[in-house]
Amino acid sequence: ATDTKAKSENVMVLLMKLPCDLEEDILSQLPPRSLIRFKTVCKRWNALFNDKWFLNNHLVRARPQFIFITESKIYSIDIDLRGTIEVRELAADFPCHAIDLMHTTIMACDEFLFRDFWKQGVVVWNPWLRQVGWFEYEDKGFHFCGVGYDNSRPEKGYKILGYFDCLRRVSDTYEVGYRRVAIYEFSSHALKYVDAPFKQWPMMVPLSLNGNLYWLTHNPETHEHFIRSFDFSNEIFKPFCLLPCQKNQSSDRLVLAVYKGDRFSLLKQCYVTGTIDIWVTKKNIDGEEVVWINLMTFPRTNLPNLPKLVNKICGISYFIFDKTLIMCCGDGQIGAASIYILRGDMFKKIQIDSGIVRFSHCAYLPNLISVPLEFGLLQV
């Protein structure tokens, strides 16, 4: 421990002798947990935590991790592309406890994590800074769907999309259930109802990208699969684009993810052959036309241990980094939480813990951007 401390001090002394721009460039490449330790070295380094250019430069260079939630603990999972993982327990400084994992939602929106506590509220969280914001539902019947913001404004006004389960009387003796869709605004706690021109609510947690929500769905008449979106700026639902491939049968698996911060990736696994195809959008999604390209294919003939991704009770999260597919899901035997790393003809499965079969998870870019004051920061 003494040797490690001495080495760290020597590194800091060497860094402080470098030109400021080179010094900042080196610091921006360090993982958040290392940077946090350097915050108290000097005033100049401490000031970097309020420098938007430095923080954004650090975010651009970050490699995604998985945030992983069990019944009692929360972990970050950092993946080395050579085939090892580092699992680190995170402090859970939350003002409440989840009823159970079946009603736990975790998602990323830009730099922050949002965790829904059913019938209670939503936590806004940066685990590396140990900053927690809390938004309590005034109406406890609200069901969380996802988070976004009005991207037409200079200041992000974060909002939650969700719904209430309601009953409509159709006769003296009969009622039918329906979902009434609503938006909660974080800053004002104002609740606003909106029209939803569909009945197929997202089965999985939508993706948040550039302030809007996106999820996979299909047209029940044409059976075409496409991406639907919710635009928080105009507060409307709309179709976004068709997928580059369709399901050949109902057991094929389609999973949407964010790619390179401003694009989409689509994972498709054919149930019959087990082959996994990865498609990505050629440009960022703000353009008028969405063009997909096939990025990678993993045939099961070359990788016989590829898992079947159908019926994953705890879902699938993944990301693409440096031509490598990294997935988090339950394995095909006992459903134990596992990480899968695929690149070329290389395949590696790493079981996180054979005893963990109920969990929530999402991909997330670790960063040092502070949680905005509008979320009502808690003292932790």
Side-chain angles (χ1 to χ4, degrees), residues 103-337:
H103 296 97
T104 292
T105 301
I106 182 78
M107 69 172 292
C109 176
D110 287 357
E111 305 86 14
F112 309 118
L113 287 163
F114 291 79
R115 183 182 179 185
D116 170 59
F117 289 84
W118 188 49
K119 292 188 175 182
Q120 299 175 80
V122 176
V123 156
V124 189
W125 184 37
N126 185 324
W128 305 108
L129 295 178
R130 292 190 65 175
Q131 291 180 344
V132 175
W134 172 244
F135 178 88
E136 186 172 352
Y137 299 141
E138 293 187 6
D139 189 325
K140 306 302 183 185
F142 184 76
H143 291 262
F144 176 95
C145 178
V147 175
Y149 52 85
D150 183 347
N151 58 24
S152 67
R153 295 163 47 186
E155 294 296 327
K156 298 175 182 178
Y158 287 88
K159 302 176 183 180
I160 310 171
L161 177 70
Y163 63 88
F164 295 93
D165 285 322
C166 302
L167 291 173
R168 180 185 294 115
R169 183 174 293 280
V170 295
S171 71
D172 292 340
T173 59
Y174 187 63
E175 293 179 322
V176 295
Y178 70 99
R179 287 174 174 174
R180 192 176 185 190
V181 181
I183 302 169
Y184 256 126
E185 190 174 70
F186 275 96
S187 59
S188 66
H189 275 66
L191 182 68
K192 181 179 180 180
Y193 293 99
V194 295
D195 293 327
F198 58 88
K199 294 183 179 179
Q200 297 169 314
W201 199 250
M203 296 298 292
M204 304 299 292
V205 180
L207 293 179
S208 182
L209 183 56
N210 296 341
N212 298 327
L213 291 176
Y214 300 88
W215 63 94
L216 299 179
T217 187
H218 74 281
N219 186 320
E221 296 178 358
T222 65
H223 303 291
E224 286 184 315
H225 288 76
F226 64 96
I227 299 174
R228 193 191 299 279
S229 70
F230 183 76
D231 180 341
F232 278 96
S233 300
N234 298 302
E235 298 183 346
I236 58 171
F237 294 91
K238 56 187 179 183
F240 180 70
C241 72
L242 287 173
L243 298 185
C245 55
Q246 297 292 320
K247 284 188 174 184
N248 300 320
Q249 58 177 351
S250 60
S251 296
D252 288 354
R253 198 71 166 92
L254 297 170
V255 188
L256 190 68
V258 174
Y259 176 63
K260 291 190 173 180
D262 59 3
R263 297 189 252 169
F264 284 135
S265 66
L266 178 74
L267 180 154
K268 177 188 176 180
Q269 185 181 50
C270 174
Y271 179 75
V272 175
T273 65
T275 294
I276 292 177
D277 281 296
I278 302 294
W279 296 78
V280 298
T281 52
K282 190 174 182 179
K283 299 178 180 179
N284 68 55
I285 63 167
D286 290 335
E288 291 295 322
E289 183 181 4
V290 179
V291 178
W292 295 87
I293 58 174
N294 185 265
L295 183 68
M296 297 184 291
T297 297
F298 299 99
R300 208 167 190 217
T301 51
N302 297 352
L303 301 166
N305 294 319
L306 275 181
K308 284 290 185 76
L309 300 179
V310 69
N311 297 328
K312 296 298 183 186
I313 296 174
C314 297
I316 302 162
S317 55
Y318 77 93
F319 61 87
I320 309 296
F321 192 86
D322 194 21
K323 297 182 180 180
T324 305
L325 168 63
I326 301 154
M327 296 188 295
C328 178
C329 61
D331 69 13
Q333 298 167 333
I334 60 174

Side-chain angles (χ1 to χ4, degrees), residues 71 97-104 115 118 358:
E71 295 283 0
H97 298 282
I99 296 172
D100 59 56
L101 278 180
M102 290 298 292
H103 296 97
T104 292
R115 183 182 179 185
W118 188 49
R358 296 285 297 276

